[in-house]
Amino acid sequence: MDFKQVITEALMKESKAEIVLEVPPNTELGDFAFPCFLLAKEHKKNPAQIAQDLAKKLKINGIAKIEAKGPYINFFVDKSLLAMQVLDKILENKNFGSNQSGKGKHALIEHTSVNPNASPHVGRARNSMIGDAVVRMLRFEGYKTDVHYFVNDIGKQIAMLVLGSKGKKPTFQELLQLYVDFNKKVEEHPELEQEVLALLKKLEDGDLKVKKEFREIVDTCIKGQKAILSEFGIEFDSFDYESDYLFNKTTEKVLADLKKSNKMFTDEQNRTVLDLKGFKEVEEGMKSPVLVLTRNDGTSLYPLRDLAYSLDKAAWAKGRNILVLGEDQKLYFHQIAAALSFLKAEAPEPVHYSFVLIADGKMSTRKGTVVLLEDFMHEAVEKAKSEILAREPGRKGKEFEALARTIAYGAVKYGILKVSPDKNVTFDWEQALSFEGDSGPYVQYAHARICSILHKAEKGKKPDFGMLTHKAEANLINKLAIFPEIVAQATKQLSPHSIANYAKELAQEFTSFYHECPVLTSEGGMKDARVALCKASKQVLASALELLGIDAPEAM
């Protein structure tokens, strides 16, 4: 039975107004609530009086109690019936939570796409974590997905690496310092900027030697970035290279098509520029609303190549077309969206994210200027080891190392994903690695605790879920029941933090249940029912963690 639906249908018989049910802040106020403000005009009564009248009149199958509370009608679901319906559904469906809203649909997601000149830093890694979680949610909902990484392989930063390497083949670990050193040289000797631009001109003119040098540097970096992100559980289906759009002349076609809009002109610096007057978001962000497409020597700039790529993505995406982009790129996104409108193409669906800050301002990075993801991961593992050893001294070996990585990576991902993308993350090691409170290890520990209970439990008889009427049991079942709704909302809004917050709340409800309702020492049918409730909780908690890209350990 869909309790929400039967309540909605009963209320629709009493009013022509739109029926919107709410979930009360705690179960003492019911499982669902209806605000009668919406009926005041139609019924010509005080909302509190409407609530009183309807509460006396309504009789709904499956609803144990209906009461008025001020202007609200509160509905209390029959707990025994809810338990039977929810737990049967979970245990019979390993994909419980999936609404299959994406069945037969397609989604293209572009994320990460950091400059291929060094190891990714933590701030940009937030892009990867959000993008990966979005991919996982979409797949869980039944979407066929394609995950893309746009490789900026012909920008100035690559030219600097080529010049700085002096014909040698630097390792991935050497790239960042090479880039930093060359930038300092340019600051000291500004004339080097002309060498960089000259090398880019050679590249665009098709110089084979230069093309080879650029590709070798880029491939070294992409291989290194892939390895780091793969260790973190983040994978891609396609790496798309900017240079392809230059060498196959697609950029020239984009310029020709934009020229037809009569919005393109050559500015006083001899650059090709697109006039974006009339686009509110662009005008609000810059005094002169334009998009510069080429340098004064005719060589292309990133926006031109990005437009060519965006046209391809619009064609490849048969459904949702999603782009994860930093909040510092909002204005740029509006510029690209405006330009795409001239090309009769829709812009992607953006997910903008804010910055990652380190709470104590300290981080053991090799370079001292940026916090590299690989250093951050190493730091997390070492801190996780310390936390484990503080609880269980003497642990060592492969299992210990694997558990430390599981906890560490889970702590980092949860600590970042639990925050709404539009807000800054202030990452605090102590909080992130705590086994208590709003943290990844806390949620993982709840899963491990369930596994321990199930490992000790003997196989019982078919459970009678109608026995699960204790308040802590009812609260846990209520939380399990709303998982599909949480997934639907998170997928629609592309908000992984909703899943993270749900996982924490589910872990909290299970912990309350664990403390208030003995499982292994219960007897007869009660034990069987509670063991089954543990199985359902384990399944849903593991699914929620999987959507975040976090492992669910069976022991900690």
Side-chain angles (χ1 to χ4, degrees), residues 456-458 518-532:
K456 296 172 184 176
E458 298 175 356
V519 178
L520 298 176
T521 57
S522 296
E523 296 181 354
M526 181 58 76
K527 179 178 179 179
D528 295 334
R530 286 178 175 171
V531 167

Side-chain angles (χ1 to χ4, degrees), residues 314-373:
W316 295 336
K318 306 304 180 186
R320 298 181 77 171
N321 181 9
I322 298 163
L323 171 64
V324 184
L325 204 60
E327 69 168 10
D328 54 336
Q329 297 292 307
K330 278 186 178 180
L331 174 59
Y332 172 73
F333 174 79
H334 290 310
Q335 290 174 290
I336 291 295
L340 286 171
S341 71
F342 294 139
L343 297 168
K344 304 294 187 294
E346 287 189 26
E349 189 179 346
V351 180
H352 292 292
Y353 64 93
S354 292
F355 302 102
V356 177
L357 311 172
I358 308 301
D360 60 6
K362 299 176 183 177
M363 181 64 205
S364 59
T365 172
R366 293 191 307 257
K367 309 303 174 184
T369 53
V370 294
V371 181
L372 301 182
L373 178 60

Side-chain angles (χ1 to χ4, degrees), residues 492-512:
K492 181 180 179 181
Q493 298 176 354
L494 303 178
S495 55
H497 68 284
S498 300
I499 302 293
N501 291 330
Y502 172 81
K504 174 201 67 178
E505 291 168 3
L506 179 58
Q508 289 173 332
E509 293 295 356
F510 178 81
T511 300
S512 295

Side-chain angles (χ1 to χ4, degrees), residues 463-508:
D464 176 7
F465 296 132
M467 300 178 72
L468 301 173
T469 57
H470 188 283
K471 181 181 176 181
E473 294 167 338
N475 288 345
L476 177 55
I477 293 167
N478 280 339
K479 186 60 67 174
L480 292 170
I482 66 170
F483 186 46
E485 190 175 329
I486 297 295
V487 171
Q489 177 191 37
T491 306
K492 181 180 179 181
Q493 298 176 354
L494 303 178
S495 55
H497 68 284
S498 300
I499 302 293
N501 291 330
Y502 172 81
K504 174 201 67 178
E505 291 168 3
L506 179 58
Q508 289 173 332

Side-chain angles (χ1 to χ4, degrees), residues 39 87 107 146 165 193 214-215 253 269 298 333 343 345 381 383 399 410 419 490 497 503 516:
L39 308 184
L87 298 182
D146 285 312
S165 63
E193 179 82 13
F214 268 65
R215 183 52 67 96
K253 184 178 184 307
Q269 299 178 49
F333 174 79
L343 297 168
V381 171
K383 288 181 179 293
E399 287 187 6
V419 180
H497 68 284
E516 295 184 39

Side-chain angles (χ1 to χ4, degrees), residues 384 387-389 391-392 395 399-400 402-411 432-436 439-452 541 545 550-556:
E387 290 291 330
I388 296 170
L389 292 173
R391 287 166 173 75
E392 198 174 339
R395 289 196 66 170
E399 287 187 6
F400 168 62
L403 178 60
R405 284 195 301 274
T406 293
I407 293 173
Y409 297 172
L433 286 163
S434 173
F435 280 62
E436 300 294 335
S439 70
Y442 172 74
V443 180
Q444 289 176 314
Y445 185 67
H447 181 271
R449 174 178 276 164
I450 300 172
C451 291
S452 176
L541 196 56
L545 287 170
I550 297 174
D551 290 338
E554 296 198 357
M556 284 179 67

Side-chain angles (χ1 to χ4, degrees), residues 77-123:
V77 170
D78 182 319
K79 303 306 181 190
S80 296
L81 185 58
L82 176 67
M84 287 186 282
Q85 291 197 339
V86 171
L87 298 182
D88 275 336
K89 191 178 293 185
I90 294 172
L91 296 173
E92 290 172 3
N93 178 11
K94 294 301 180 185
N95 287 320
F96 175 80
S98 173
N99 306 278
Q100 289 297 298
S101 62
K103 188 174 182 180
K105 299 177 183 178
H106 176 262
L108 181 149
I109 308 95
E110 181 204 338
H111 70 80
T112 304
S113 300
V114 296
N115 287 331
N117 61 343
S119 180
H121 63 78
V122 172

